[in-house]
Amino acid sequence: MTAAEHPTSQDPGSWRLFRGEGPPRQVTMPPAPPWRRFGERDTAGSGGTTAPGDPRPYLIGPTQRDIVNAALHLRRPLLVTGHPGTGKSSLAHAVAHELALGPVLRWPVNSRSTLAEALYHYDAVGRLRETNLRQHADDTAPGIGYFIRLGPLGTALVTAGRPRVLLVDELDKGDVDLPNDLLTVFEEGEFEIPELSRLPPGEDDVEVHSARGGDTVTVHRGVVRCQEFPVVVITSNGEREFPPAFLRRCLRLDLPDPDEQRLRAIVAAHLGAEALPRVDDLVRAFLARRAPGELATDQLLNAAFLRLGGVDLDADGLLEAVLHRLGGAL
């Protein structure tokens, strides 16, 4: 995207879509930043990836790149740490895109997350309701597989052929026992669905739903066993430590805060090299304000995008609003 392609770049006042005047009026929404154009993503899988027709490079140093390659060769989970905005989650999408491994399977972890939800979900209530309805209608109810949907981890393990990329996002927000729970599945490469393993002889193979979309996969005797270990990218913001047994089985990758040269390369990759002269002062302001963990790279990209759209970032405290600190009370 060049400055000339932005509809508001010629009129500094036209960027104010909302005026706070009260009466409704029709406005034309300007193009979104490249990283916020959801319609250009591949929505076939959880998380989505950048459309193949609009790839943007993932900028990474040679040392960090080699650690990623080591994890790929060893079939070990990659534990990615770093301050917000250093590209931890984006790394999973970059690997999936460059290696043509399909859409990323994403499991966003929070304090209530359990291993079971990442493996599969059985809708027992829905099955009971459907059975009762079909009985009254003199019809045959769907099989049990219709009511089982694999989670992102379950789908990653059952995938045949080329591996899928699984993003376990912000594992440090989960329960303290969750990393150890994951260890068993990662080491054995399989898990059991008890509802299927208890089925009588003759029902050995059951079709179940995958994480997203209409795809189904076959589960034999209730056991999901991987043929090719998935590419697992685990992100952590360093909110707590992980057990030594878990750390021993992962490769650790710490993404540093980008220096000035890399910041400029990131701006050029997303907004075009011709944008750099117009946002040079913003890069310098970002570097002057940045302390470890207090500003994220996407904040600089947001400021640069607004500048290219004709916004005077030095006016009315807008620069302060865009480049706000990530830590501390609001």
Side-chain angles (χ1 to χ4, degrees), residues 70-181:
L72 293 174
H73 281 277
L74 295 172
R75 272 50 170 197
R76 287 291 185 182
L78 187 66
L79 177 59
V80 186
T81 58
H83 293 134
T86 51
K88 298 187 296 295
S89 300
S90 300
L91 176 60
H93 295 280
V95 171
H97 173 76
E98 186 170 326
L99 302 185
L101 297 179
V104 171
L105 295 160
R106 180 172 176 262
W107 179 28
V109 177
N110 58 49
S111 60
R112 300 177 301 278
S113 296
T114 63
L115 176 62
E117 73 178 33
L119 295 177
Y120 76 99
H121 172 71
Y122 171 50
D123 185 7
V125 175
R127 186 187 185 197
L128 178 62
R129 181 176 60 248
E130 187 72 15
T131 300
N132 290 335
L133 289 174
R134 298 293 180 120
Q135 284 179 344
H136 291 302
D138 252 355
D139 199 1
T140 302
I144 187 173
Y146 181 83
F147 302 95
I148 292 179
R149 181 176 296 278
L150 299 179
L153 176 54
T155 301
L157 290 174
V158 79
T159 302
R162 292 173 62 78
R164 294 289 296 274
V165 176
L166 171 67
L167 172 61
V168 183
D169 215 4
E170 300 188 336
L171 181 61
D172 53 329
K173 293 186 180 299
D175 183 80
V176 66
D177 293 325
L178 188 55
N180 283 331
D181 293 340

Side-chain angles (χ1 to χ4, degrees), residues 278-327:
R278 297 189 59 191
V279 299
D280 182 73
D281 60 325
L282 292 180
V283 175
R284 287 186 275 107
F286 178 87
L287 290 169
R289 291 166 177 256
R290 184 178 70 177
E294 290 192 352
L295 289 178
T297 305
D298 58 352
Q299 292 175 289
L300 172 61
L301 290 174
N302 290 337
F305 181 79
L306 290 176
R307 166 66 61 79
L308 297 177
V311 179
D312 182 4
L313 281 173
D314 296 327
D316 303 325
L318 187 55
L319 180 62
E320 185 70 29
V322 175
L323 298 182
H324 60 85
R325 293 176 56 192
L326 300 180

Side-chain angles (χ1 to χ4, degrees), residues 1-232:
M1 182 192 73
T2 64
E5 291 172 342
H6 200 294
T8 63
S9 59
Q10 304 300 322
D11 182 2
S14 65
W15 74 279
R16 293 186 173 90
L17 304 175
F18 172 73
R19 299 174 183 172
E21 297 172 348
R25 55 194 176 84
Q26 294 291 330
V27 298
T28 300
M29 295 295 291
W35 52 91
R36 296 293 294 171
R37 295 174 187 172
F38 300 100
E40 295 181 1
R41 294 181 179 179
D42 181 354
T43 56
S46 178
T49 56
T50 304
D54 186 28
R56 285 180 290 275
Y58 182 86
L59 303 178
I60 188 171
T63 300
Q64 290 77 30
R65 183 183 61 228
D66 289 345
I67 295 175
V68 174
N69 282 296
L72 293 174
H73 281 277
L74 295 172
R75 272 50 170 197
R76 287 291 185 182
L78 187 66
L79 177 59
V80 186
T81 58
H83 293 134
T86 51
K88 298 187 296 295
S89 300
S90 300
L91 176 60
H93 295 280
V95 171
H97 173 76
E98 186 170 326
L99 302 185
L101 297 179
V104 171
L105 295 160
R106 180 172 176 262
W107 179 28
V109 177
N110 58 49
S111 60
R112 300 177 301 278
S113 296
T114 63
L115 176 62
E117 73 178 33
L119 295 177
Y120 76 99
H121 172 71
Y122 171 50
D123 185 7
V125 175
R127 186 187 185 197
L128 178 62
R129 181 176 60 248
E130 187 72 15
T131 300
N132 290 335
L133 289 174
R134 298 293 180 120
Q135 284 179 344
H136 291 302
D138 252 355
D139 199 1
T140 302
I144 187 173
Y146 181 83
F147 302 95
I148 292 179
R149 181 176 296 278
L150 299 179
L153 176 54
T155 301
L157 290 174
V158 79
T159 302
R162 292 173 62 78
R164 294 289 296 274
V165 176
L166 171 67
L167 172 61
V168 183
D169 215 4
E170 300 188 336
L171 181 61
D172 53 329
K173 293 186 180 299
D175 183 80
V176 66
D177 293 325
L178 188 55
N180 283 331
D181 293 340
L182 279 170
L183 271 185
T184 302
V185 177
F186 285 159
E187 287 300 295
E188 297 180 359
E190 65 179 38
F191 68 95
E192 182 186 34
I193 302 178
E195 292 83 357
L196 299 184
S197 60
R198 292 194 295 260
L199 292 176
E203 299 184 42
D204 294 345
D205 295 323
V206 177
E207 294 285 324
V208 302
H209 297 282
S210 62
R212 285 191 63 178
D215 295 340
T216 60
V217 293
T218 302
V219 177
H220 180 71
R221 295 306 303 162
V223 176
V224 172
R225 182 176 295 110
C226 76
Q227 300 179 19
E228 183 70 35
F229 191 75
V231 179
V232 181

Side-chain angles (χ1 to χ4, degrees), residues 172 176 179 236 238-244 247 252:
D172 53 329
V176 66
S236 169
E239 294 187 6
R240 63 176 175 83
E241 291 294 326
F242 294 118
L247 294 175
R252 177 78 174 267

